[in-house]
Amino acid sequence: MVVKVLGQPSYACPRRVILALLEKEIEHEIVIVDGKVGQDKGPEYLKLQPFGLYPTIQDGDLTLFESRAIIRYYAEKYRNQGTDLLGKTLEERALIEQWVEVESQNLNPPLMQLVIQILVYPAFGRASDPKVIEESEEKVAKVLDIYEEKLSKTKYLAGDSFTLADLTHLPLTYYLLEPLKKPYLVRDRKHVSAWWDDITSRPSWKKSVELYPFPF
């Protein structure tokens, strides 16, 4: 059965799911939910995702939302298909989960603030807050300093193989280098820069960008 991915595939969280599906070689189709006309807050979508956010997947009788929960689900369900994204041992899995949580709790919040302040607010005629931008950039830099130290010891965040720990970073970190015009946050860190070049060379990333160009 073909997996349905509901949302806007060019946005970061749906793209995270699409990347996992591509890595796991899972057949899927995109069902556009257009927030510009309020479909994400419409009654039909809210039945599936009560918070009105992207993405949601439908897989047979299963409806699931929250992108990181979805990628964990498919990495486990199709463990023996496509790229191994979960590691071979319980210890490897624990390290992967650790870095997925680091991305979610430490990097994503300030990075999302930069996206909102620099890209989203101006697009809707709203003024940005320079102080929030400055503080958010400082927080991102501190997280990436920790990554630089970690990546000086291992090729990828959770070890020597590409896993969910790396994949989950792709959609939003991209904004630093292109739309946000802050590539120095990545490029001034030798090991972070090499890691970024490596993970963005993967066919899944290239295909997702080709199929679903970024909105900014």
Side-chain angles (χ1 to χ4, degrees), residues 54-186:
Y54 304 140
T56 301
I57 62 99
Q58 291 181 307
D59 186 347
D61 294 331
L62 176 68
T63 297
L64 189 65
F65 55 85
E66 290 295 338
S67 62
R68 294 172 189 82
I70 295 169
I71 65 175
R72 286 173 167 119
Y73 167 70
Y74 282 113
E76 185 65 58
K77 181 177 181 179
Y78 294 91
R79 177 180 278 275
N80 297 320
Q81 176 176 311
T83 306
D84 176 13
L85 298 172
L86 292 177
K88 305 293 187 198
T89 67
L90 179 61
E91 290 75 15
E92 289 176 359
R93 175 70 178 267
L95 290 172
I96 292 164
E97 293 287 357
Q98 170 184 271
W99 287 100
V100 171
E101 288 299 315
V102 168
E103 184 274 329
S104 174
Q105 302 299 323
N106 297 87
L107 184 62
N108 187 82
L111 186 44
M112 183 59 74
Q113 276 299 315
L114 290 176
V115 172
I116 291 170
Q117 293 288 333
I118 297 173
L119 300 175
V120 178
Y121 280 178
F124 288 91
R126 183 171 173 179
S128 301
D129 186 332
K131 184 177 181 181
V132 173
I133 292 173
E134 181 182 1
E135 291 175 348
S136 297
E137 182 169 337
E138 288 175 355
K139 290 176 182 178
V140 169
K142 288 180 180 179
V143 174
L144 292 181
D145 284 342
I146 293 171
Y147 283 32
E148 179 69 5
E149 172 65 18
K150 178 64 178 72
L151 291 166
S152 71
K153 300 173 182 175
T154 58
K155 185 176 182 180
Y156 299 99
L157 284 171
D160 293 322
S161 300
F162 176 85
T163 66
L164 289 184
D166 310 288
L167 181 150
T168 192
H169 286 79
L170 277 161
L172 202 55
T173 306
Y174 162 84
Y175 280 79
L176 284 176
L177 289 94
E178 297 294 338
L180 293 174
K181 307 301 182 186
K182 297 181 181 293
Y184 52 87
L185 287 169
V186 170

